């Protein structure tokens, strides 16, 4: 089981930027993809961005494409989410998750989850 710890959340005004980090205890040989998801109260968890840990291919939800960038530092076992031009609708708890399957927006395919980090964007 991979232990994941998110950091970097906070409060920012609309148009601002934040960088989230997801530090993993280790990436096992079966870890294929790390994704960022977000959730607000009363809503389902939404996939935001994903990175294939083997070839660094990236995927984004339409709502964040062009504003968010996911990347990884393999030596540090860390995945980052750079969030630019933030909007109030980006306000949510952000989670990172790892899976032994291919990257997918389906949260059910992810085995390991962090505790989350709150992002609040004010207008």
């Amino acid at each position: 089981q991979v232990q994941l710890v998110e950091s970097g959340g906070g409060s920012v005004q609309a148009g601002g930027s934040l960088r989230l980090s997801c530090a993993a205890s280790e990436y096992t040989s079966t870890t294929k993809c790390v994704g960022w998801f977000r959730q607000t109260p009363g809503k389902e968890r939404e996939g935001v961005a994903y990175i294939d840990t083997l070839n660094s291919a990236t995927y984004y939800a339409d709502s964040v494409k062009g504003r968010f960038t996911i990347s990884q530092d393999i030596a540090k076992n860390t995945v980052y989410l750079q969030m630019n031009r933030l909007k109030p609708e980006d306000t949510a708890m952000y989670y990172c998750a790892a899976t032994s399957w291919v990257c997918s927006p389906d949260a059910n395919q992810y085995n390991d989850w962090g505790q989350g980090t709150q992002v609040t964007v004010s207008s």
Side-chain angles (χ1 to χ4, degrees), residues 51-114:
I51 186 164
D52 186 306
T53 57
L54 300 180
N55 62 22
S56 295
T58 58
Y59 310 89
Y60 298 93
D62 287 343
S63 58
V64 305
K65 202 171 292 184
R67 300 188 298 121
F68 291 12
T69 303
I70 188 171
S71 62
Q72 64 175 347
D73 185 329
I74 296 173
K76 295 182 179 180
N77 286 343
T78 300
V79 170
Y80 303 98
L81 185 67
Q82 178 66 44
M83 305 186 296
N84 298 328
R85 290 184 282 140
L86 282 160
K87 304 176 181 179
E89 50 264 45
D90 294 317
T91 295
M93 183 71 79
Y94 283 71
Y95 300 88
C96 67
T99 180
S100 55
W101 295 87
V102 296
C103 290
S104 166
D106 184 356
N108 293 321
Q109 290 195 14
Y110 291 77
N111 316 103
D112 303 301
W113 291 83

Side-chain angles (χ1 to χ4, degrees), residues 16-58:
S17 299
L18 285 172
R19 188 177 80 155
L20 306 183
S21 298
C22 172
S25 55
E26 62 175 343
Y27 283 143
T28 69
S29 60
T30 60
T31 302
K32 296 292 193 299
C33 182
V34 174
W36 283 98
F37 292 77
R38 64 187 181 187
Q39 189 171 26
T40 54
K43 292 189 176 182
E44 289 189 1
R45 200 162 288 189
E46 173 193 19
V48 175
Y50 327 90
I51 186 164
D52 186 306
T53 57
L54 300 180
N55 62 22
S56 295
T58 58

